[in-house]
């Protein structure tokens, strides 16, 4: 009966799949040309050579198993940008009153006058960064708050100044000028109005944060579990119930008509490295914190590299290649370290959550209130979705002024996304 049940699930998945091979009416299928992903950049040791050989599984593969975290990447941006570094390169951390202060941003090494910003800190800057992290972790460990169950923080400094290792100049490639209306819906993080479930992101709907949004550092839930078996590797994320399977047995990708949020992954070993190629993605996910930013196309191809470079470090690298969305491919690389506690905590978020219906109900109540005020001769602006509401942990939003534009209005997300630098959701604030 269990086997028959899984057959039913598979049939259901295939039945809901998106056909990616059909061109728009009147158009010819577009030829997609992908770039060659760069070799693994081991940033954990500042670019120094690594000769570490990982322990082996009983069947002889390098052993990557464990629960790994990007917590130690807190404060490291995706790419250098104006305005100072933020949480994992994606904006400042939110914090409830009384919570310990987050780790200070990573010190930035001085750039050469005519060259790209350096990828690594010098020894003095690295020591300063470690001192900041140690002091912040000590404060957080002793704070009378939720502790690491709510706000995760770094304990170890690494020398890299940014996550982006390619392009070499450290600049995020632009979104193509012909890409429009591809911004991830912002839902309750945006200014509203909210008219349907389509106005909420996949993350808010408790479906997925996508591949990029699931591994990039955020304020909590940064665990990643790797389990291996002969011919397959399972990669699970802590936040939302996503598990990806990397098949090593040489099977081809599924039919291109089948599209999935996390795609279809095929893997191979290149010496110490596990190389994973993922295709068959939908156009409903994006690269960016919690899956926000500009949605990529169905042509996106993601190439990931995993290598255990020390007993307590797995170097992770991902190349994002979508010629229909970005002007060129880009690659991020950073170390994953053992998760404090070693266990993925349950993330009780369900696609049937009532937050969507309650938010839409609140919006309709605002529609009615605006109409009633107008009938009384009162003409006012629409109240923001989260105006003077609750912030992180249910705490009041500090400094909120009724009637003022909601915090973050007009920044990050939205329905736009045309040309310019890629929107990776860096301007958003998690509340």
């Amino acid at each position: 009966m269990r086997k028959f049940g899984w057959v039913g699930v598979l049939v259901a998945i295939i039945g809901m799949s998106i056909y990616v091979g059909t061109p728009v009416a009147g158009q010819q299928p577009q030829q997609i040309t992908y770039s060659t992903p760069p070799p693994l950049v081991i940033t954990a040791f500042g670019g120094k050579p690594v000769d570490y050989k990982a322990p082996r599984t009983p069947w002889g593969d390098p052993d990557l198993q464990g629960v790994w975290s990007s917590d130690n990447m807190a404060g490291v941006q995706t790419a250098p940008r104006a305005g100072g570094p933020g949480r994992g390169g994606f904006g400042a951390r939110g914090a409830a009153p009384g919570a310990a202060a987050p780790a200070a941003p990573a010190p930035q090494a001085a750039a050469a006058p005519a060259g790209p910003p350096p990828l690594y800190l010098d020894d003095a800057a690295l020591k300063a960064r470690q001192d900041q992290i140690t002091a912040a972790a000590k404060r957080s460990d002793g704070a009378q708050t939720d502790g690491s169950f709510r706000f995760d923080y770094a304990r170890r400094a690494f020398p890299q100044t940014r996550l982006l290792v390619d392009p070499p100049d450290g600049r995020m490639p632009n979104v193509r000028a012909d890409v429009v209306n591809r911004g991830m819906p912002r839902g309750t993080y945006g200014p509203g109005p909210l008219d349907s479930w389509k106005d909420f992101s996949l993350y808010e709907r408790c479906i997925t944060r996508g591949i990029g949004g699931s591994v990039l550092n955020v304020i909590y839930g940064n665990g990643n579990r790797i389990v291996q078996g002969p011919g397959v590797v399972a990669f699970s994320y802590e936040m939302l119930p996503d598990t990806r399977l990397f098949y090593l047995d040489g099977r081809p990708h599924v039919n291109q008509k089948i599209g999935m949020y996390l795609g279809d992954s095929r893997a191979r070993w290149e010496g110490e490295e596990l190389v994973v190629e993922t295709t068959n993605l939908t156009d409903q996910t994006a690269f960016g914190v919690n899956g926000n930013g500009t949605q990529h196309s169905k042509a996106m191809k993601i190439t990931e590299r995993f290598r255990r470079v020390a007993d307590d470090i797995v170097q992770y690298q991902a190349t994002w290649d979508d010629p229909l969305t970005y002007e060129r491919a880009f690659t991020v690389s950073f170390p994953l370290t053992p998760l404090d506690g070693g266990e993925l905590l349950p993330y009780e978020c369900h696609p049937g959550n009532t937050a969507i219906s309650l938010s839409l109900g609140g919006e309709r109540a605002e529609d009615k209130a605006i109409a009633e005020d107008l009938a009384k001769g009162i003409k006012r602006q629409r109240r923001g979705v989260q105006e003077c509401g609750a912030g992180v942990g249910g705490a009041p939003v500090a400094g909120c002024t009724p009637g003022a534009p909601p915090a973050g209005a007009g920044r990050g997300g939205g329905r736009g996304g045309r040309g310019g630098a890629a929107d990776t959701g860096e301007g958003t604030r998690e509340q």
Side-chain angles (χ1 to χ4, degrees), residues 154-303:
R155 294 185 181 278
R156 179 176 179 181
F158 286 96
Q160 71 187 102
T161 61
R162 63 178 187 269
L163 304 183
L164 201 71
V165 297
D166 187 71
D169 63 3
R171 297 183 179 275
M172 189 74 182
N174 288 339
V175 173
R176 288 171 40 136
D178 59 348
V179 172
V180 294
N181 297 325
R182 292 254 216 100
M184 181 67 68
R186 298 300 295 131
T188 55
Y189 295 100
L194 305 174
D195 297 319
S196 82
W197 52 269
K198 293 182 180 180
D199 292 327
F200 297 83
S201 70
L202 294 176
Y203 174 40
E204 288 187 287
R205 291 161 57 194
C206 298
I207 294 175
T208 186
R209 296 187 298 163
I211 292 176
S214 295
V215 74
L216 295 170
N217 178 266
V218 290
I219 64 174
Y220 68 92
N222 296 312
N224 306 276
R225 183 175 59 220
I226 298 177
V227 178
Q228 294 172 243
V232 66
V233 176
F235 191 64
S236 301
Y237 301 113
E238 183 170 12
M239 196 183 299
L240 295 183
D242 284 337
T243 293
R244 300 166 58 201
L245 296 179
F246 307 152
Y247 293 105
L248 289 151
D249 55 7
R251 70 181 69 183
H253 283 286
V254 298
N255 191 293
Q256 66 172 355
K257 298 178 182 179
I258 300 174
M260 295 167 276
Y261 290 133
L262 299 178
D264 183 54
S265 298
R266 297 293 178 266
R268 64 184 182 274
W269 288 103
E270 293 184 356
E272 292 290 307
E273 296 178 24
L274 176 67
V275 182
V276 182
E277 294 182 351
T278 301
T279 60
N280 294 75
L281 290 152
T282 70
D283 55 3
Q284 301 301 304
T285 58
F287 171 83
V289 61
N290 287 330
N292 292 316
T294 301
Q295 293 170 321
H296 55 72
S297 77
K298 298 176 184 178
M300 174 62 80
K301 178 181 178 181
I302 303 172
T303 303

Side-chain angles (χ1 to χ4, degrees), residues 75-160:
V76 181
Q77 299 182 45
T78 295
R81 58 179 298 210
R87 167 182 43 77
F90 304 108
R93 286 179 185 247
Q108 301 296 298
L119 179 57
Y120 301 114
L121 300 171
D122 59 28
D123 291 342
L126 179 59
K127 183 181 184 305
R129 171 63 175 160
Q130 183 62 65
D131 290 344
Q132 290 176 338
I133 287 176
T134 300
K138 184 177 180 179
R139 291 193 302 270
S140 296
D141 288 341
Q144 299 299 313
T145 64
D146 302 293
S148 62
F149 287 99
R150 184 62 181 87
F151 297 104
D152 294 332
Y153 39 86
R155 294 185 181 278
R156 179 176 179 181
F158 286 96
Q160 71 187 102

